[in-house]
Amino acid sequence: MTTQQGMDAYVQTDENWQSDQLRKYRRMKRKILEFIAKHKSAQLSVDKANRRIRVLQQEKKRLMRANKNGDAMETSQEDDEEDAEEEEADEDDEEDQLDEDEEMAEIPMPKIITKRTGNSRRKPVEVPRDEQGKVILPIQIASLKVIELGTVIHDRTTFHSERYIWPVGYCTERTYMSMVDPNNQTTYTCRVEDGGDGPLFTIRAADTPDEDDISARTPTGAWAVVIKRANEVRQRESANAISGPEYFGFSNPLVIEMVEALPDAEKCVNYNFHSKRSQK
């Protein structure tokens, strides 16, 4: 992708081109340009109104002098001279306005600079480890709290796919809309259990401790029940598409790295490793 010179040059990179910050920047830029155009149009309207006011004021003075002196011819001559001076002043005002417009066109638009602190990227979360290199749990990753990583079941291929490994005992927590209280959120505990012929994905809500766990054969199936009930209690329709692996935390890069580092993860024959660290 080619870049253009000017105020957008520093954000026109492959890394930032589709970012939310660039879209916000574009919207702000358009608003600034619209504001300048509206201001310019309003200023021209004000100048036109002021010129009209001056003409009316001159007409008023001429009529008052005519009534007072009774010399309409003399007054007309004097007023004609004043009107000529007024027209010259109006022309000067218009020329000044044109000069100001040209100067404004030459002034570059102010750059909208995002405040940076050293590195422009968000500081990555460091995984705490003990002296033996084992991950210290629990660990908070944004809105996801990893409680346990679990145990990799490598000899049953249903416990992993090309994209994910589902360790038995894996446990995370996250906050989401309550299924019983439309005005509050609650904490959901997500687990992977041994379902015999494959993993069983379960979810328990903190504000419904007496209810049975929600369970399904896929993470999306389990979270679909939660989202449907949470929307029903708020009397609104459920979303058409959800990502169960994302809600469980399986698609998080740090979780992927930690799971791939578990014992026997390298024995998952159908899994494609993402982390370079695990490939060494």
Side-chain angles (χ1 to χ4, degrees):
M1 179 177 64
T2 60
T3 60
Q4 299 178 359
Q5 296 297 323
M7 62 183 299
D8 296 337
Y10 101 97
V11 294
Q12 293 182 358
T13 63
D14 291 336
E15 182 179 353
N16 297 326
W17 185 251
Q18 297 295 334
S19 67
D20 290 339
Q21 290 182 348
L22 179 56
R23 287 192 289 271
K24 292 179 181 178
Y25 165 81
R26 287 293 189 186
R27 288 195 295 268
M28 184 175 293
K29 177 183 175 182
R30 286 195 296 269
K31 290 180 180 180
I32 291 174
L33 292 175
E34 290 173 359
F35 174 80
I36 291 175
K38 290 179 180 179
H39 174 76
K40 188 175 178 180
S41 177
Q43 185 63 48
L44 291 174
S45 298
V46 170
D47 292 342
K48 184 177 179 180
N50 287 334
R51 290 194 293 271
R52 179 60 179 167
I53 290 172
R54 287 198 295 268
V55 171
L56 292 176
Q57 287 175 342
Q58 287 299 121
E59 183 68 17
K60 180 181 177 181
K61 290 179 181 179
R62 183 171 61 184
L63 292 174
M64 289 178 64
R65 284 196 295 267
N67 291 333
K68 183 177 180 180
N69 300 326
D71 191 359
M73 292 295 294
E74 183 179 356
T75 301
S76 178
Q77 183 177 359
E78 292 175 353
D79 290 339
D80 288 342
E81 293 175 355
E82 293 178 355
D83 290 343
E85 294 176 356
E86 186 69 27
E87 289 176 359
E88 291 178 359
D90 291 344
E91 291 175 358
D92 292 338
D93 291 341
E94 292 176 358
E95 290 176 358
D96 292 340
Q97 180 66 36
L98 291 173
D99 291 340
E100 291 175 2
D101 293 343
E102 290 175 357
E103 291 176 0
M104 182 179 294
E106 293 175 358
I107 298 174
M109 288 289 294
K111 292 183 179 179
I112 302 174
I113 301 176
T114 303
K115 184 177 181 181
R116 300 183 181 183
T117 55
N119 194 344
S120 60
R121 295 182 180 180
R122 181 181 298 176
K123 185 178 180 181
V125 178
E126 295 182 0
V127 178
R129 301 178 184 272
D130 59 19
E131 295 179 354
Q132 286 73 36
K134 185 178 180 180
V135 177
I136 301 174
L137 297 173
I139 178 174
Q140 190 74 38
I141 307 173
S143 60
L144 182 74
K145 186 175 183 179
V146 181
I147 309 298
E148 292 290 344
L149 291 174
T151 303
V152 174
I153 309 298
H154 67 89
D155 54 352
R156 283 182 278 175
T157 57
T158 52
F159 282 82
H160 70 272
S161 67
E162 292 182 355
R163 297 182 61 188
Y164 304 110
I165 297 174
W166 299 300
V168 172
Y170 174 89
C171 179
T172 59
E173 290 181 353
R174 69 163 58 247
T175 301
Y176 191 72
M177 296 184 298
S178 170
M179 297 182 291
V180 294
D181 186 349
N183 299 316
N184 285 304
Q185 295 185 332
T186 190
T187 300
Y188 290 88
T189 302
C190 309
R191 290 187 174 88
V192 179
E193 299 179 3
D194 191 340
D197 57 348
L200 187 66
F201 301 90
T202 67
I203 301 175
R204 174 180 289 272
D207 59 352
T208 57
D210 298 330
E211 291 188 9
D212 293 336
D213 292 351
I214 296 171
S215 61
R217 286 296 182 177
T218 65
T220 298
W223 266 105
V225 176
V226 174
I227 293 175
K228 181 179 179 181
R229 290 180 55 183
N231 281 288
E232 284 178 348
V233 77
R234 289 164 177 79
Q235 298 182 351
R236 64 188 187 189
E237 295 182 359
S238 300
N240 294 328
I242 60 171
S243 173
E246 180 181 352
Y247 280 55
F248 263 79
F250 291 120
S251 60
N252 185 284
L254 282 179
V255 173
I256 291 174
E257 179 182 336
M258 291 187 291
V259 169
E260 288 181 350
L262 290 174
D264 296 330
E266 72 280 359
K267 298 178 182 179
C268 295
V269 294
N270 297 323
Y271 179 72
N272 294 324
F273 277 80
H274 301 271
S275 172
K276 294 181 180 179
R277 177 176 181 175
S278 301
Q279 295 173 351
K280 292 181 180 180

